[in-house]
Amino acid sequence: EDHVDEINTEKFERIVGKDVVLIFTYVSTTVFCYAINLPVPIVLIKIEGTPWYDAMDQALSERVAFVDCHYMNGTPCFDKDRLRQSLIEAKSKINVDVAESITG
């Protein structure tokens, strides 16, 4: 309650026009590919052990803010201050030209 205004579970297409920051935990979804082409801030939580192409780091780092995450005793753990910082950082990385170079 102290950290977010709203968690919306409506269909993506209905909420994407609102003042939102999108948070993803992996990139292999059609929604992620769609989202990086929109003028909205995006945070990607990189979960340790998730298959990842290192070459994507460079391209995506110009478009999304990253937060590293690992599991401890079955619980996802990440630096909450880093998440807060990434929410601000993501707003400065809204660049759909970069997204076009990623998705074509």
Side-chain angles (χ1 to χ4, degrees), residues 18-90:
K18 294 182 179 180
D19 185 24
V20 299
V21 174
L22 301 175
I23 300 176
F24 287 90
T25 54
Y26 56 96
V27 298
S28 58
T29 69
T30 54
V31 174
F32 180 79
C33 292
Y34 177 70
I36 63 172
N37 285 286
L38 298 174
V40 296
I42 299 174
V43 173
L44 177 60
I45 298 177
K46 290 176 60 178
I47 300 173
E48 183 179 68
T50 300
W52 184 253
Y53 297 103
D54 290 333
M56 291 299 292
D57 267 356
Q58 179 60 37
L60 284 177
S61 69
E62 296 179 32
R63 175 61 183 97
V64 304
F66 293 109
V67 176
D68 290 326
C69 178
H70 64 279
Y71 278 92
M72 182 179 295
N73 300 323
T75 301
C77 300
F78 56 88
D79 184 331
K80 290 174 181 63
D81 289 331
R82 174 64 190 129
L83 177 60
R84 283 187 203 96
Q85 179 185 2
S86 71
L87 295 171
I88 296 165
E89 181 184 328

